[in-house]
Amino acid sequence: MRKMSDIHPRPETKEKAASGISASHRSEPTYAPQRVEVSGGSRPDETPTEAQQLSTFVAASDHHVEGVVLCVLISETVSLMAVGKADNLVHVFGLKLNSDGADADWIADGGFNLVGHEVPATHGAFSDDRQYLVTWAPDLVLRQWNLNSRKCTGIYANTHSHVSRILFEAHGLFFTTIDELGYAFIWMIADSGSSNELRYVDKNYYSHPLTACAFHPKITYLVTGSTDGMVRMWNMSIGTTAVRTFLGHKTTITAVAFSICGYYLVAGATDGLLIVWNLKSQVLLRRLSHHSGAITSIGFSPNNGRLAVGSMDTQMSVWDFELLVRTTVAGRPSATEDMLVGTRASECGPIFEVKFVSDSHLMAICVDKREASAESEEDLSQCFEEMEAEESELEPEEDE
């Protein structure tokens, strides 16, 4: 079994166009996206131009995608979304951003189906280079797909437990799955020229179900969050005992992220609380209780100056991260009102993911969870049958 210290990152390459997706088929989304200017807070040493932040919401309803959103890969040109459909297909399509001056909107940009799962997939992850998609279904089958050939190039037939999250490391050499038993597995990408059986190269066990994970941007660290509110960081190059714990949360961890510089760790939980730690000292630097719903996504701007947070409360907040890690500002203790750059609500539903595509442009994908759109055809059919039965009972009987 290979150690993580034996795996060397590949050289960075320029981002490719959406692999396997053409612009031959386009259809308008159900909900119009929102262009949101987030402003209204600045550092004492910041100019008005620096304080301006452009944000774009992408709306994807259950009715529009007709399935479960597995994962997204956000970019400023064409973003990718994978959806697990009721007929067991995995549908991959692009979301293309059209910009006209200050205005921006989104349209579907082609798509295709991946065939192989025997039950609908519920979890997935794209590699950052847009070459691979990994999906998992409740029959415990894990599949790796090549997005260029649109074929399944790797499979693992029994994960032994329900997977709660899948995540690729930045260079696309390996990925992790975390599960409800408390295991974190590290998997190698299956080579299409060899056996197509996926294999894991390392694993670690934690005492509680795992619910969130993130890779360190520069070192072979994997951070995980669990249902007991614990955040743990595993140094994969040393061994399973090399685990550090970060304290402060009391409810289930729902999102974790490292800062771009790699010196800080941020975690959000079901109660909406967000905590920032110093990675080296493990000291808790900041508690933020801005959100009323579970934190769903955390993202940093490339220059490390901004922190974006998405939540189930449909709110997206943007914070001055430089202020978050300071203890004083202009000679006085830093306060929350100094740190919040802006906040906006999504009209289409909970925030699924947030990501800075540049230092000045933040994008978010929200997924509508309306009860009406979540009803299946079978449920609707049963409802109509019950209504017809009630109506027939009310009809007067004919005289013989």
Side-chain angles (χ1 to χ4, degrees):
M1 182 175 293
R2 297 177 65 184
K3 296 181 179 179
M4 297 311 301
S5 57
D6 299 329
I7 301 174
H8 303 286
R10 66 177 64 155
E12 293 186 2
T13 57
K14 293 182 179 180
E15 184 181 44
K16 299 181 180 180
S19 300
I21 293 184
S22 65
S24 59
H25 171 72
R26 294 182 177 182
S27 60
E28 293 294 334
T30 302
Y31 295 99
Q34 309 164 51
R35 177 181 174 275
V36 185
E37 290 184 354
V38 179
S39 60
S42 61
R43 301 192 307 270
D45 58 344
E46 187 177 48
T47 65
T49 302
E50 292 174 332
Q52 294 177 354
Q53 184 73 55
L54 174 66
S55 299
T56 305
F57 275 128
V58 184
S61 73
D62 282 345
H63 174 73
H64 173 60
V65 299
E66 298 177 347
V68 177
V69 177
L70 306 179
C71 54
V72 296
L73 183 62
I74 300 176
S75 77
E76 197 164 14
T77 53
V78 178
S79 298
L80 299 180
M81 178 178 286
V83 177
K85 300 174 73 68
D87 57 6
N88 305 336
L89 297 176
V90 174
H91 184 64
V92 179
F93 63 95
L95 294 171
K96 186 175 182 179
L97 177 65
N98 289 329
S99 299
D100 182 14
D103 296 324
D105 63 357
W106 289 80
I107 59 173
D109 189 61
F112 55 86
N113 292 321
L114 301 173
V115 182
H117 279 295
E118 296 183 1
V119 299
T122 56
H123 293 81
F126 289 107
S127 62
D128 286 349
D129 61 7
R130 298 169 173 252
Q131 295 297 307
Y132 298 104
L133 168 66
V134 171
T135 56
W136 180 88
D139 60 355
L140 307 183
V141 173
L142 188 70
R143 287 182 177 271
Q144 172 194 301
W145 309 88
N146 185 303
L147 296 181
N148 287 320
S149 65
R150 306 181 185 181
K151 295 181 179 180
C152 179
T153 55
I155 187 171
Y156 194 81
N158 187 359
T159 58
H160 300 289
S161 177
H162 281 234
V163 167
S164 55
R165 200 68 59 91
I166 306 173
L167 181 68
F168 275 89
E169 60 87 33
H171 301 283
L173 294 176
F174 53 90
F175 63 92
T176 185
T177 59
I178 59 174
D179 63 35
E180 295 179 356
L181 287 181
Y183 281 98
F185 288 89
I186 305 298
W187 305 81
M188 291 299 299
I189 294 295
D191 186 352
S192 58
S194 60
S195 171
N196 67 345
E197 182 179 0
L198 288 171
R199 61 188 181 89
Y200 64 88
V201 295
D202 211 344
K203 66 177 180 179
N204 208 351
Y205 174 70
Y206 305 88
S207 56
H208 290 78
L210 299 179
T211 51
C213 60
F215 284 108
H216 192 279
K218 301 178 180 180
I219 315 173
T220 54
Y221 289 166
L222 174 67
V223 66
T224 58
S226 54
T227 55
D228 61 349
M230 300 291 285
V231 177
R232 301 175 179 88
M233 187 176 68
W234 170 25
N235 186 339
M236 298 180 292
S237 63
I238 296 178
T240 57
T241 58
V243 176
R244 303 171 72 180
T245 303
F246 296 82
L247 304 175
H249 279 293
K250 297 184 182 300
T251 60
T252 298
I253 305 300
T254 52
V256 289
F258 289 101
S259 62
I260 301 298
C261 65
Y263 296 142
Y264 303 100
L265 174 62
V266 182
T270 54
D271 58 1
L273 176 64
L274 201 75
I275 293 181
V276 182
W277 293 275
N278 180 295
L279 197 62
K280 184 177 181 180
S281 65
Q282 298 175 251
V283 171
L284 192 156
L285 300 176
R286 192 73 61 184
R287 293 174 180 266
L288 299 173
S289 301
H290 178 78
H291 289 278
S292 60
I295 304 300
T296 56
S297 182
I298 303 169
F300 285 88
S301 61
N303 66 2
N304 213 65
R306 292 283 190 266
L307 169 70
V309 181
S311 172
M312 288 294 292
D313 63 8
T314 75
Q315 297 282 333
M316 179 177 66
S317 60
V318 180
W319 304 82
D320 187 320
F321 191 68
E322 293 182 9
L323 292 184
L324 284 178
V325 296
R326 291 189 200 175
T327 56
T328 61
V329 177
R332 63 182 176 84
S334 57
T336 302
E337 55 266 25
D338 297 325
M339 310 169 200
L340 185 62
V341 175
T343 182
R344 290 293 185 273
S346 161
E347 296 181 359
C348 68
I351 310 299
F352 185 83
E353 187 164 330
V354 297
K355 183 178 180 180
F356 283 94
V357 294
S358 69
D359 290 331
S360 60
H361 194 175
L362 170 66
M363 292 186 183
I365 287 184
C366 51
V367 180
D368 181 30
K369 293 295 184 184
R370 295 179 307 161
E371 293 181 1
S373 62
E375 288 184 333
S376 65
E377 293 183 3
E378 182 179 351
D379 293 336
L380 289 173
S381 176
Q382 182 178 356
C383 178
F384 290 143
E385 290 175 358
E386 291 175 353
M387 292 172 61
E388 291 174 353
E390 292 174 356
E391 291 173 355
S392 65
E393 293 176 359
L394 296 175
E395 293 178 356
E397 296 182 359
E398 296 182 359
D399 294 332
E400 296 181 357

